[in-house]
Amino acid sequence: MAFKIGRYLMAVRQDSNIDPDALAGKLRIERSMLNNWELDVSHPNIDALLAVAAAMDVDVRRLIGLKTTTGRSLFHPFAKKDALQWEHQGSERRQVALSIVLTMAAEEAAKDEDIHAALVNYYEQLIQEKDTRTDMVINANNIRLGQALGKTQVSDTSRDEYNQLLQLAMDGLRGK
């Protein structure tokens, strides 16, 4: 089951009273591409998702239905149901990892090509992989991202976020 974010994109856009034609114009994309994203026919790449968040002036994590803070705030009426489904299917870690990857991308992606490439790969695999492979995706991508982070200076916030990804991997190994 691929990760579905389309209804979150649509809900945030509608909550923000943004016309789909206006958003497509701001993003310099065809309206049909935005429709495909909102209908989960396809998904935006990481850069496009960041651009959507900027165009609507929302936290990028809101576009996936969940914002991680000390606790968790569920933004949409159907997000709580989805969170229960993700947990039941064993993919809650994928949702948390996706939130962390998007946060890191918003902070670091433009600064370093290797980090950007590692985050793009991480995002794509989290969006596309089946739930049964979540732990393998997180573990493999933590290694790639760690190598990219080791080659350049990054913020303490990004280091902390990477440590959160490592903790997710450890939790997966422990069966949490």
Side-chain angles (χ1 to χ4, degrees):
M1 178 174 99
F3 192 77
K4 309 266 185 201
I5 62 173
R7 64 182 174 172
Y8 295 109
L9 292 171
M10 184 185 298
V12 172
R13 181 185 54 73
Q14 290 171 341
D15 290 348
S16 301
N17 293 319
I18 298 174
D19 179 73
D21 290 318
L23 181 57
K26 276 184 170 181
L27 297 170
R28 297 183 179 149
I29 62 171
E30 296 292 325
R31 164 82 186 267
S32 61
M33 181 177 280
L34 179 61
N35 288 345
N36 285 343
W37 293 346
E38 289 185 348
L39 297 173
D40 285 314
V41 172
S42 63
H43 66 274
N45 65 32
I46 197 168
D47 296 317
L49 194 62
L50 294 172
V52 170
M56 292 196 293
D57 195 28
V58 297
D59 187 311
V60 69
R61 294 169 292 186
R62 186 171 175 200
L63 296 178
I64 61 168
L66 185 69
K67 178 178 179 183
T68 55
T69 56
T70 307
R72 263 197 256 166
S73 300
L74 299 172
F75 283 93
H76 304 291
F78 42 79
K80 187 168 188 168
K81 179 182 174 192
D82 284 353
L84 293 173
Q85 181 180 353
W86 292 321
E87 185 171 356
H88 175 72
Q89 294 173 344
S91 62
E92 184 179 10
R93 279 190 297 284
R94 178 168 65 158
Q95 176 74 358
V96 174
L98 185 59
S99 176
I100 295 167
V101 166
L102 289 168
T103 302
M104 289 181 77
E107 294 167 3
E108 298 290 342
K111 296 178 188 174
D112 185 89
E113 192 173 307
D114 289 340
I115 293 173
H116 182 262
L119 290 169
V120 165
N121 188 54
Y122 212 141
Y123 168 83
E124 289 295 328
Q125 287 190 26
L126 286 170
I127 289 286
Q128 295 174 7
E129 291 297 332
K130 304 237 181 272
D131 295 324
T132 56
R133 299 195 52 195
T134 299
D135 291 329
M136 290 183 350
V137 168
I138 290 172
N139 292 338
N141 282 288
N142 280 351
I143 292 168
R144 288 186 203 105
L145 183 57
Q147 290 168 339
L149 290 171
K151 295 177 185 177
T152 188
Q153 181 80 19
V154 295
S155 70
D156 289 341
T157 302
S158 288
R159 290 270 178 222
D160 291 344
E161 288 159 347
Y162 177 67
N163 286 332
Q164 290 174 23
L165 289 169
L166 293 175
Q167 187 59 49
L168 274 178
M170 294 303 295
D171 291 347
L173 292 172
R174 291 186 197 120
K176 288 186 177 181

